[in-house]
Amino acid sequence: QEVTPDPPDLPSNEVACIAAIETRCRDDYLPHVALNFTWFSDTGELSNPVHLGALSGETWQKEGEPEPFETKDEAAQDAADPPSLASAEADAAEADEKRFIEGRRYEITSANLRATCDFIRSLAVQALRIEAFYPDPTKPLPEPGSVPGGEAKKDKKDPKKKKDQEAETEVDDSFVKVEILVPLAPLIVQRCQGPSMSQDILVQVPCPGLFDLKVTVRCSGPLLSPEIR
């Protein structure tokens, strides 16, 4: 049975889609954790690669004030030992080794997209694809600047290799790469002025220096016009 095509004059809304990634990470891990994802092109397809790079990079916006990080061992020692001059001097000597938890945020807005029936159907089966890179927990932290996740490395000497590597992201054994899919279908069922959805994906990125990782996707207005509903 043939599907009846949608009327060409069926009114549809025009909306922009906004994605935000928020994270809280220990300061010594900031240069070693990186994220990439795909975002909407001007035609409404999730096909544009966005390379954010390491959390320590300029692409990310700092959020809030750094919070002191205290291990369980340090907390237990502070509770057991009364303050003294010697301990105060020791604390001062170790001040440079203190760790902090810092917030980072990135936000991107698409071009205005026509929410036609075809766009809504495609959105129902599409997902935001996120690549996360973090240090292998079983190994020491690698050197700063070695985190993968930026533009794919290309072989300038060999054009054939350059073409083959164009869409690849090299990951050495010092890092772990995970891929996370965030379905966008929940945006369709919300009948409100600005549908929004958030997903905590920290459990999928088991990095010991990462404490929060949340993705939010929202629309500037309602996706479904009254006629399409």
Side-chain angles (χ1 to χ4, degrees), residues 49-118:
V50 181
H51 299 278
L52 300 182
L55 296 180
S56 58
E58 296 180 355
T59 307
W60 295 89
Q61 178 184 351
K62 294 182 180 180
E63 285 283 295
E65 294 296 325
E67 305 169 22
F69 173 76
E70 191 175 56
T71 65
K72 293 181 180 179
D73 292 341
E74 289 172 338
Q77 184 176 358
D78 290 343
D81 297 337
S84 64
L85 179 59
S87 63
E89 291 175 351
D91 289 344
E94 296 176 0
D96 292 339
E97 299 179 8
K98 292 291 185 183
R99 302 265 65 100
F100 293 86
I101 299 174
E102 299 188 15
R104 292 292 187 272
R105 189 176 193 275
Y106 177 81
E107 183 174 297
I108 186 171
T109 302
S110 73
N112 285 339
L113 304 171
R114 181 66 65 179
T116 62
C117 291
D118 285 342

Side-chain angles (χ1 to χ4, degrees), residues 137-173:
T138 65
K139 299 178 180 179
L141 284 179
E143 292 295 322
S146 60
V147 63
E151 296 288 348
K153 296 180 181 178
K154 300 173 184 178
D155 194 323
K156 297 181 180 180
K157 296 181 181 178
D158 191 331
K160 185 179 179 181
K161 285 185 179 180
K162 178 179 178 180
K163 184 177 180 181
D164 293 341
Q165 295 171 348
E166 209 163 36
E168 295 180 1
T169 301
E170 295 183 3
V171 183
D172 62 42
D173 59 4

Side-chain angles (χ1 to χ4, degrees), residues 183-196:
L184 300 179
L187 293 172
I188 301 173
V189 299
Q190 298 180 34
R191 297 189 176 186
C192 57
Q193 289 302 311
S196 175

Side-chain angles (χ1 to χ4, degrees), residues 20-27 29-30 33-35 52-57 59-67 100-107 130 132-134 199-202 205 207 209-216:
I21 300 178
E22 298 171 284
T23 180
R24 291 170 66 248
C25 182
R26 215 169 75 184
D27 58 352
Y29 273 80
L30 289 172
V33 178
L35 296 169
L52 300 182
L55 296 180
S56 58
T59 307
W60 295 89
Q61 178 184 351
K62 294 182 180 180
E63 285 283 295
E65 294 296 325
E67 305 169 22
F100 293 86
I101 299 174
E102 299 188 15
R104 292 292 187 272
R105 189 176 193 275
Y106 177 81
E107 183 174 297
I130 301 172
F133 305 86
Y134 63 94
Q199 185 167 328
D200 186 343
I201 58 175
L202 180 64
V205 188
C207 172
L210 203 57
F211 297 92
D212 283 311
L213 184 55
K214 185 176 74 172
V215 178
T216 300

